[in-house]
Amino acid sequence: MTPTTSSPATPLPPRRRTVLAGIGAVPLAAGAATATTAAPRPEPGDGHAPATLLRGAELVLTMDPALGTGDLGTLERADVLMRDGRIAGVGRRLPAPAGARVVDVSGMLVLPGFVDLHNHLWQSSIRGGCHTQDLYGWLADCNRATLPKISPEDMYRFVRLAALDALQAGVTTLVDWVLHPIGYDTSERYIRALDRTGLRFVYAMAHNTADLDLVPRVKKNLLDPLPLASAQVAVHAGMDRLDPLRRSREVARDLGLMINSHVLEHRGDRAQEPIRSLRTADAFGPDLLMNHAIHLTDDEIAQVAEADVRVAHCPLSNMRLGSGIIRLPELKRRGVRAGLGHDGGTNDTSDMFGVMKAAVGLQRALHQDADVHPTIPAVLRMATLGGAECLRMADRVGSLTPGKRADVLVLDPGTLNFAPRFDWLGQIVLNGQPGNVSHVYVDGRARKVRGKLVDVDPAEVVREAERAAARVRAGG
């Protein structure tokens, strides 16, 4: 089924504007015939942006229990209004503002955009590579062997390819952890590629101790001017890296940024004592995002919970590398905030539906329990609002609460892989594929419409990436 759009139908080009926090929810009683729409204060440059009304969705998942039924805030046959880059209303039979673009989404599903907590976009250059290797072999033979061969110009091409792949699959917020230090010029092209997609993104900067000045420079010059961009400081945890870890923590604190670290992805990482190092460096708290965290002990899980550390779970990557299975039920019981991530080259492609299904399936297989955490509703929350909470961005994204930024997906269930309707919550996770993503809106701007990326020639993006890959194979 294809949603129809009333005039004006052509999305406007993106505008640069300041991203502000949500301005408060508008209450909506489940089952109400109509809903009051919010009237957000226009932001600079937003005054002439058209409103968009998604009309008549068969099912809306708001991820806000106050806006619908159950923990996911479900509403049937409802509308979603976006205005000035924000969610302006959710409910039934909402009035269309003058000049609004009205999109008929009858028969469709609407939910918040996916939040990808952990990625390495440049690793699209090594998709499918080193497929017989574990983490350490893959890092040595694919990852570290490839990065030095990538020029700044080709870095742009690889990042753009992977970022557009994530966007077309429904990711609206993405954290990119560069993994190894790169220079200012390469960072500029990396960030430009991300910005051009229209994604909301967090750039986690790795650096050498001698180049710590790059972090504030990149943030001030390259990220702060972009309304959809923000920064984190990427670190390597380990007692053998304690001094640089302390210095990175100081830089992050001075700039008000979160710390982002790989922790206990491989069983061999235990020798580096990463948890001890993070605690010793005073980097263990709610401004720490730990990626993977597979091999935590009972005591370490208790420490993570007590300190309100956040966790990015990357099940497809962990499976691919044979790294192990995260103790997700134990983390949940302790109240640890966790979301989902793709993890770059060892995920090989962008598919949050596959990530959700793997997160559910791994725990069920391990525990031989079909009701173990994460359940279907729980994993849907992890992929949206849970990820936003991990990034301390839940006041802006992750749910369709009026006042939040308008990051929205429209899914088409009328496809061979999805139909017929039986249990749509289960079908989103267990049947969904990137091809079901019909529309993507980021900050209220249409980035994918009727299954096609807006103002993007995918064939040309692929051609450019193939040429770049050929140069890398030839030695850079």
Side-chain angles (χ1 to χ4, degrees), residues 251-370:
V251 170
R253 184 168 288 161
D254 289 344
L255 297 174
L257 302 180
M258 290 186 73
I259 290 279
N260 189 316
S261 181
H262 291 72
V263 174
L264 293 172
E265 180 179 2
H266 189 281
R267 62 186 178 276
D269 296 346
R270 171 67 55 194
Q272 300 169 14
E273 298 186 89
I275 299 294
R276 181 185 168 205
S277 73
L278 289 163
R279 292 180 65 87
T280 303
D282 193 25
F284 207 71
D287 54 355
L288 170 63
L289 176 61
M290 295 196 314
N291 308 304
H292 305 292
I294 298 169
H295 300 285
L296 294 170
T297 65
D298 289 344
D299 181 60
E300 287 167 341
I301 289 175
Q303 293 177 46
V304 168
E306 182 180 5
D308 195 19
V309 173
R310 288 85 196 283
V311 172
H313 176 35
C314 307
L316 287 178
S317 172
N318 300 158
M319 292 164 63
R320 207 261 222 192
L321 294 171
S323 297
I325 302 175
I326 191 174
R327 300 177 64 189
L328 208 53
E330 290 90 339
L331 291 167
K332 171 66 173 176
R333 281 195 290 271
R334 288 283 191 166
V336 176
R337 301 173 195 262
L340 300 174
H342 280 118
D343 196 25
T346 52
N347 191 72
D348 298 298
T349 191
S350 297
D351 183 354
M352 191 60 78
F353 303 97
V355 170
M356 289 190 289
K357 183 160 61 175
V360 170
L362 278 172
Q363 300 301 328
R364 291 186 180 188
L366 177 64
H367 295 277
Q368 300 180 49
D369 178 1

Side-chain angles (χ1 to χ4, degrees), residues 20-26 38-41 43 86-87 395 401-404:
L20 301 177
I23 60 172
V26 175
R41 177 171 56 86
E43 299 177 27
R86 298 182 184 273
I87 302 294
D395 61 338
T401 304
K404 287 191 180 183

Side-chain angles (χ1 to χ4, degrees), residues 122-137:
W122 71 268
Q123 291 174 356
S124 64
S125 59
I126 47 178
R127 283 175 168 172
C130 300
H131 51 78
T132 63
Q133 304 275 34
D134 71 354
L135 173 65
Y136 293 167

Side-chain angles (χ1 to χ4, degrees), residues 114-119 121 166 171-176 340-344 350 352 383 391:
F114 295 134
V115 178
D116 178 2
L117 280 184
H118 186 59
N119 216 320
L121 294 174
V171 172
T172 54
T173 298
L174 181 146
V175 181
D176 198 82
L340 300 174
H342 280 118
D343 196 25
S350 297
M352 191 60 78
L391 296 176

Side-chain angles (χ1 to χ4, degrees), residues 4 17 28 39 54 165 218 246 248 276 316 322 324 341 391 467:
T4 57
R17 53 182 174 266
L28 172 66
L54 304 179
D165 182 34
V218 168
R246 283 184 170 128
S248 296
R276 181 185 168 205
L316 287 178
L391 296 176
R467 293 177 187 129

